[in-house]
Amino acid sequence: MLHLLVLQLPSLLASRTCARTATSSSRAAASMLASTEIGKQGAAKPTIYFVMGGPGSGKGTQCEKLIQSYGMVHLSAGDLLRAEVKSGSAEGRKIAKIIEEGKIVVSETTVGLLRKAMSQAEGPFLIDGFPRSMSNLQAFEAEMGPCEFMLFLEVPLSTPSTPSLRPALVTDHRGPFVRAHARSPRSQVSEAEMEKRLLKRGVSSGRSDDNAETIRKRFHTFVSESMPVMDELERRGVVHKVSAEASADEVYSRVCETLGRHPRPVLPKE
Ligand code: ADP
Ligand code: C5P
Ligand code: MG
């Protein structure tokens, strides 16, 4: 299956117009959200908006913007895991190693942290960076029921299953080496942009995984572990894609429009 996430970039003219009007279009989208709301969520099952995307695609940035305008509770799986690391617990020490390796923490741990955080609020919940693997998805759904909405911040990343991919001799700072699959120029540009964002964030984030080596591993984990989840959810028709390759304001305006089409749109903040 083709996993190369090719985006339809707006024309130069359109993107200029969008950039100029990003704030006003965000406001328009916000009022559209307000006007389409259909009442408070039921008590039984909270509304959950999952937000996924590759490393550096802007999940945290978009969630921060959303909670400023809408009555949602933002839960970042990564933040919950980092808080556990900070607590100094034995579990936290295990988590720290996994994060540094750019791998995925055992689902029981992450779902347990989410369960605890969700029990302390009513929602609707904006859960960012989850589910990151099929195991994450299965563990969460076993407790909370099926995922009904996934906002996917799209960035073209190369995947081994893309048919046009083939072994290639490439060179980087380590010298020449054979890469198992060639990457399209498009995905190379996007990965470079995401890496740039993350390295810049690393200057002040203090995160153990915002370094070139771990970023490379995180991209790999995203493609091999997280993309199958997106494929599965896409088959179910619950994935809503938004191109993440634009200014944060422009992406936000697209996000608001997408959320406004949800059958149970989020309520604006009081
Ligand atoms: P994620 O949570 O998906 O890893 P973040 O929201 O933390 O990504 O964003 C990663 C970095 O990129 C942050 O430093 C953020 O300020 C920056 N960033 C987020 N969105 C954009 C964007 N659309 N354009 C440029 N930089 C961005
Ligand atoms: O989403 P964020 O970038 O904050 O995640 C940081 C790291 O936390 C991931 O690279 C991964 O090691 C870990 N994580 C995880 N399972 C999740 C979310 C994050 O293992 N569902
Ligand atoms: Mg994040």
Side-chain angles (χ1 to χ4, degrees):
M1 172 176 292
L2 184 73
H3 287 309
L4 188 66
L5 306 175
V6 182
L7 306 175
Q8 284 188 322
L9 284 180
S11 68
L12 185 59
L13 182 63
S15 63
R16 279 196 184 138
T17 311
C18 286
R20 261 203 315 274
T21 59
T23 310
S24 59
S25 62
S26 297
R27 268 193 226 110
S31 68
M32 180 178 76
L33 277 181
S35 67
T36 54
E37 75 202 35
I38 55 164
K40 299 248 179 216
Q41 58 173 7
K45 191 184 172 199
T47 302
I48 302 173
Y49 300 89
F50 290 100
V51 182
M52 266 299 288
S57 57
K59 300 180 290 296
T61 303
Q62 295 304 317
C63 289
E64 280 307 310
K65 285 178 175 292
L66 280 166
I67 59 167
Q68 278 166 28
S69 303
Y70 302 106
M72 304 163 111
V73 177
H74 176 206
L75 299 177
S76 155
D79 283 352
L80 291 171
L81 291 166
R82 281 184 288 275
E84 189 62 34
V85 171
K86 226 173 162 189
S87 77
S89 68
E91 190 66 42
R93 283 192 288 280
K94 281 191 219 159
I95 295 170
K97 274 190 77 181
I98 296 169
I99 288 180
E100 273 173 46
E101 287 166 7
K103 293 186 180 157
I104 295 177
V105 174
V106 61
S107 298
E108 287 66 26
T109 300
T110 314
V111 171
L113 292 170
L114 283 170
R115 183 196 309 121
K116 189 172 166 206
M118 291 174 79
S119 72
Q120 291 160 5
E122 269 189 22
F125 295 100
L126 194 52
I127 301 187
D128 131 35
F130 187 95
R132 208 94 158 196
S133 63
M134 287 304 286
S135 159
N136 272 186
L137 178 68
Q138 284 152 7
F140 190 89
E141 290 190 323
E143 287 192 28
M144 300 294 297
C147 165
E148 289 172 348
F149 188 100
M150 166 60 73
L151 176 70
F152 183 39
L153 299 178
E154 255 194 322
V155 169
L157 294 174
S158 54
T159 77
S161 57
T162 304
S164 63
L165 298 179
R166 59 195 181 284
L169 184 65
V170 291
T171 305
D172 70 3
H173 64 278
R174 297 166 296 184
F177 66 100
V178 175
R179 195 191 290 283
H181 55 92
R183 297 185 298 169
S184 75
R186 178 96 173 81
S187 61
Q188 284 181 44
V189 169
S190 296
E191 284 184 23
E193 163 65 19
M194 297 305 118
E195 183 184 38
K196 208 168 87 185
R197 287 185 189 178
L198 293 171
L199 289 174
K200 191 171 165 199
R201 184 177 73 184
V203 172
S204 58
S205 70
R207 280 178 54 161
S208 62
D209 57 349
D210 279 346
N211 60 76
E213 196 186 336
T214 311
I215 290 168
R216 196 184 288 255
K217 292 178 182 166
R218 287 160 67 196
F219 281 141
H220 184 268
T221 300
F222 175 73
V223 168
S224 60
E225 302 279 327
S226 307
M227 281 308 296
V229 180
M230 296 308 118
D231 290 342
E232 165 61 19
L233 296 179
E234 203 164 2
R235 267 193 293 276
R236 298 191 203 166
V238 297
V239 175
H240 303 265
K241 295 179 182 178
V242 165
S243 167
E245 291 188 303
S247 72
D249 279 347
E250 174 56 28
V251 175
Y252 182 59
S253 127
R254 297 172 189 170
V255 164
C256 288
E257 281 172 33
T258 303
L259 284 175
R261 290 195 295 270
H262 187 237
R264 296 164 79 190
V266 65
L267 297 169
K269 224 175 192 171
E270 285 168 9

